[in-house]
Amino acid sequence: MMSEKKNKFYIKTWGCQMNVLDGDKIASLLESSGYEKTNSLDEANIILLNTCSVREGPENKVFSELYRLKAFKEKELEILGVVGCVAQQEKEKIFQKAPFVDIVMGPRSIMHLPELIKQAKYQKALKVSSDEDTLLFPPEILNRNSKTKASITVMEGCNKRCSYCIVPETRGREVSRPLSSIIEEVKMLIDRGYKEFELLGQNVNCYKDGKNNFVDLLDEVSSIKGVKRLRFITSHPKHFPIEAAKLIAERNNICKYLHIPMQAGSSRILKLMKRQYDQPFYLELIDKIRKIVPEIALSSDFIVGFPTECEEDFEETIKCVNLIKFDTIYAFKYSPRPNTLASKMESVPKNIAKERLNRLLVTQHEIQKELFQSFVGKTLQILLEGESKKGNQYTGRTDCNKIVNFTSEKVLKINNFYNVKITRSLVHSLIGEL
Ligand code: 5AD
Ligand code: SF4
């Protein structure tokens, strides 16, 4: 029985694109070190939880999952590991809270995992990441789960100190990869058949490798033959360079889509959040971007119920959402994070935050419904991402990041571009025909 299970690992990932890519890196590294991936908990002798701590919700899920997995440790599970942001945040405290855990490893320490697994056979293994840890991961061994979009880490960490955010603590200070290594990786991925690329960084506009800045990065990568679509995430309003908007307008292969979190409409709240911009600055920036790229699709994150937020503050968020008309927003209830400035401020009652979140979502729902409706009758180019088991039902994504579900009598190929006529719209997706 034991030998059958030997060297099989199971990994579960929560959180942002960066964490998803880290999950791919971990799986690839273990596979290249002789371990085999399994999708069955029962089969695995190594289970890894790749965690997110940006809000309390996902963090709590990690602990409830750990207690569920305790039963596996009591049977044949050899190694249970917590990696990623919760690991970095809680460090050895995880061993205290859950003594049956064997490995705790921060998000920048992926390359150490094989040795930690060996160590964990004899004793608890702890590796906390530091800013000196390398961002370089051997690109030739990295197999991405997505066969249509290749995400690439270009920088990691964040030097901002937004008062609510745990990320600077878990992902460390900003470190950028040399542009040459990014270009090499993109070229290798083109040879493997990828057409769409996404440059990842917590504060991607602050990319800086000594010689090149974010605009150079966009310019160079979009100039590589074979890059059919290029995206980047996440932008910061204070650091988004307007030259980047010019490149988006000029280059057909840079997607006309920008995720640029506003977080709140009220300038008073933005100041408490330490976002380093106010409402007029954000609105002007969006104006400038839209003058250069009128058709750009915009998305944003918002936090509601930030400490001391009153009705008037919240109405500023609603006002901005109505004014800007984002294509999508991601809205969250404020969640206090350990050792952050905001966690010491006066909180807003939970029921009020919940009610405000609902109001914000209803407001966006109406805007989005109308916006998506305006695509009906148009023909859009999509990159095919998936097909239904029955065939003839397909799903893809537009340049502006909208999901399109459509039918085709012809058999289509994943990772190819097709033109789809939009016949109907829903709130979060479009429906069409080839
Ligand atoms: N509470 C609620 N939302 C948060 N975010 C980051 N920190 C918190 C927090 N403490 C949100 C922000 C960010 C997104 C990734 O998560 O909106 O842009
Ligand atoms: Fe967190 Fe602010 Fe950095 Fe974004 S910019 S990761 S919200 S500290």
Side-chain angles (χ1 to χ4, degrees), residues 5-13 21-38 44-50 77 79-83 103 105 109-121 137-138 140-144:
K5 286 178 59 156
K6 224 168 172 351
N7 284 347
K8 284 201 178 171
F9 71 92
Y10 174 99
I11 179 166
K12 177 161 181 174
T13 294
L21 184 58
D22 284 349
D24 289 346
K25 287 179 183 170
I26 289 169
S28 306
L29 181 65
L30 292 185
E31 279 171 334
S32 75
S33 318
Y35 298 87
E36 191 187 326
K37 190 175 169 182
T38 169
N45 64 325
I46 300 172
I47 297 181
L48 300 169
L49 302 184
N50 182 23
L77 178 62
I79 290 171
L80 179 57
V82 179
V83 303
I103 296 177
M105 180 191 85
S109 308
I110 291 172
M111 293 306 286
H112 295 278
L113 189 55
E115 60 195 78
L116 293 176
I117 290 178
K118 283 189 192 126
Q119 186 191 333
K121 298 199 171 159
F137 185 89
E140 61 287 351
I141 68 166
L142 175 52
N143 279 317
R144 288 158 174 86

Side-chain angles (χ1 to χ4, degrees), residues 168-201:
E169 167 112 5
T170 57
R171 292 271 173 184
R173 308 273 304 163
E174 288 167 13
V175 188
S176 296
R177 266 175 71 182
L179 181 56
S180 56
S181 85
I182 297 167
I183 292 176
E184 245 172 71
E185 185 168 2
V186 170
K187 287 185 173 160
M188 191 201 75
L189 290 164
I190 291 170
D191 289 339
R192 288 194 192 171
Y194 282 100
K195 296 170 182 167
E196 181 168 320
F197 298 85
E198 182 169 57
L199 308 177
L200 296 185

Side-chain angles (χ1 to χ4, degrees), residues 21 76 88 131 179 191 210 258 345 358 395 405:
L21 184 58
E76 284 179 37
Q88 182 73 15
D131 291 346
L179 181 56
D191 289 339
L258 180 63
M345 298 175 192
N358 283 340
T395 179
N405 295 307

